[in-house]
Amino acid sequence: MALKILNIQDEVSCPICLELSTESRSLDCGHSFRQGCIAVNNKEAEISPRGESTCPLCGVRYSLSNLWHNQHLVNIVERIRMFELNPEELLKRDLCVRHGKKLLLFCKEDRKVICWLCERSQEHRGHQTFLVEEVVKEYQENLQAAVERLRKEQQKAEKLETDIRGERTSWKYQIQTERQRIRTEFNQLRSILDSEEQRVLQKLEEEEKRILDNLAEGEAELAQQNQLVKELISDLEHRSKWSTVDLLQDMSGIMKWSEIWTLKKPKTVSKR
């Protein structure tokens, strides 16, 4: 049949059961399968933690939620089935509806398949025409070239995806390592600061004890001098009541001592 010649039926058949892909379901990778066939493959996805499975043809992973209905493929299958059930209709399609002749030529200007009588008609006169077999061959070659080019682009995309995934993993590891390094160094700094804090506080405590002891010692010394002054003042006030003879005959030397006695200041403490 003409379908076999153009290899259309093979292109729209399910790769698993080799039947026409009715109720077609397409995966992320672009391959399509009959719903019943891919449902068997999805049993793996049902027990998978992420609900994922792999394409039976290329092995690319896909999610159950990303299956989509390929209506375009279903429409092609329906047309093929119609032609298989109506071979006379298919035969009529190879004949010119105006002249009943075999459609052997392709008009480039009008992009129509015509017969040899159409080529000589006023409608197509002067147009470039080619044999259908040649045009089909050229189209198939162009399609194959386009497919090959797109496959190469797909391979590039897959390689870039792999490279980016690897780079992402590498960056994630580097950032985790850097995060751990920062935490370790700051913990060390905290330990150093804590130790330095304890040392400075200990030094301050020692300085506090020394200063307060010096101040307490100076305070005690001033208290003693104050008491001595009080006693001197008391003695002098008592002697002021003596008689002239007693004052002149006083040999205690208290007058001399009172005249030369001065306050002895305690050691000063630095304000630093």
Side-chain angles (χ1 to χ4, degrees):
M1 293 179 65
L3 294 175
K4 289 294 185 180
I5 295 175
L6 296 177
N7 293 324
I8 296 177
Q9 189 168 359
D10 293 339
E11 293 295 330
V12 297
S13 297
C14 175
I16 297 178
C17 65
L18 303 182
E19 296 292 334
L20 290 177
S21 297
T22 57
E23 299 180 354
S24 176
R25 293 292 182 271
S26 295
L27 312 183
D28 294 339
C29 58
H31 293 125
S32 300
F33 306 86
R34 291 179 67 237
Q35 183 175 0
C37 295
I38 199 62
V40 176
N41 192 66
N42 287 339
K43 291 182 178 180
E44 172 189 351
E46 292 176 356
I47 61 176
S48 172
R50 297 183 179 178
E52 295 181 343
S53 186
T54 56
C55 175
L57 287 182
C58 63
V60 172
R61 300 195 68 83
Y62 70 90
S63 173
L64 289 178
S65 60
N66 289 338
L67 295 178
W68 52 281
H69 180 67
N70 194 333
Q71 185 61 43
H72 178 67
L73 185 59
V74 171
N75 293 339
I76 295 176
V77 170
E78 289 299 321
R79 293 184 181 181
I80 291 175
R81 294 181 67 182
M82 181 184 68
F83 291 147
E84 288 181 338
L85 295 175
N86 300 278
E88 294 181 0
E89 182 68 22
L90 178 62
L91 180 60
K92 290 180 181 179
R93 287 181 172 269
D94 291 335
L95 300 178
C96 177
V97 295
R98 180 179 299 179
H99 304 105
K101 300 298 182 181
K102 193 75 172 177
L103 298 173
L104 299 177
L105 302 173
F106 177 75
C107 176
K108 184 176 181 182
E109 281 78 0
D110 296 329
R111 301 194 64 81
K112 289 183 179 180
V113 180
I114 60 176
C115 68
W116 64 273
L117 289 177
C118 292
E119 182 186 24
R120 298 182 180 182
S121 67
Q122 184 66 29
E123 180 182 359
H124 298 283
R125 184 171 297 175
H127 292 180
Q128 288 183 310
T129 58
F130 303 90
L131 291 175
V132 169
E133 291 81 358
E134 295 178 354
V135 175
V136 170
K137 181 179 179 181
E138 181 182 355
Y139 270 57
Q140 288 178 337
E141 291 176 353
N142 291 338
L143 287 174
Q144 187 63 30
V147 170
E148 292 298 327
R149 187 186 68 81
L150 291 176
R151 289 190 185 279
K152 291 180 181 180
E153 294 297 321
Q154 181 185 13
Q155 292 176 356
K156 291 180 182 179
E158 291 175 351
K159 183 179 183 303
L160 287 174
E161 183 181 1
T162 301
D163 293 343
I164 291 176
R165 188 182 299 112
E167 187 176 0
R168 180 172 175 269
T169 301
S170 176
W171 270 106
K172 184 177 181 181
Y173 173 77
Q174 291 184 34
I175 291 174
Q176 288 178 345
T177 303
E178 183 68 9
R179 182 183 293 110
Q180 184 61 38
R181 183 190 67 81
I182 291 173
R183 286 174 177 172
T184 300
E185 291 185 358
F186 272 91
N187 286 335
Q188 292 175 349
L189 289 174
R190 290 188 188 95
S191 178
I192 293 174
L193 288 175
D194 290 342
S195 177
E196 183 67 13
E197 180 185 11
Q198 294 300 320
R199 187 189 68 81
V200 174
L201 289 175
Q202 179 65 28
K203 182 178 179 181
L204 180 61
E205 185 177 351
E206 294 174 355
E207 187 71 10
E208 178 186 21
K209 185 177 182 303
R210 183 185 66 81
I211 292 173
L212 293 180
D213 288 346
N214 289 339
L215 291 174
E217 183 179 347
E219 184 180 1
E221 184 179 348
L222 287 173
Q224 292 178 357
Q225 293 186 70
N226 188 31
Q227 183 62 32
L228 179 59
V229 170
K230 288 180 179 179
E231 293 177 356
L232 286 175
I233 293 173
S234 177
D235 286 345
L236 292 176
E237 288 178 345
H238 179 69
R239 282 176 170 73
S240 64
K241 298 177 182 180
W242 286 2
S243 64
T244 304
V245 175
D246 291 335
L247 283 173
L248 294 176
Q249 293 179 352
D250 182 19
M251 302 297 293
S252 64
I254 192 172
M255 288 297 296
K256 186 65 175 179
W257 189 23
S258 298
E259 291 174 357
I260 64 173
W261 187 90
T262 56
L263 179 65
K264 184 179 181 181
K265 296 182 180 180
K267 296 179 180 179
T268 59
V269 177
S270 174
K271 296 295 184 181
R272 296 182 56 184

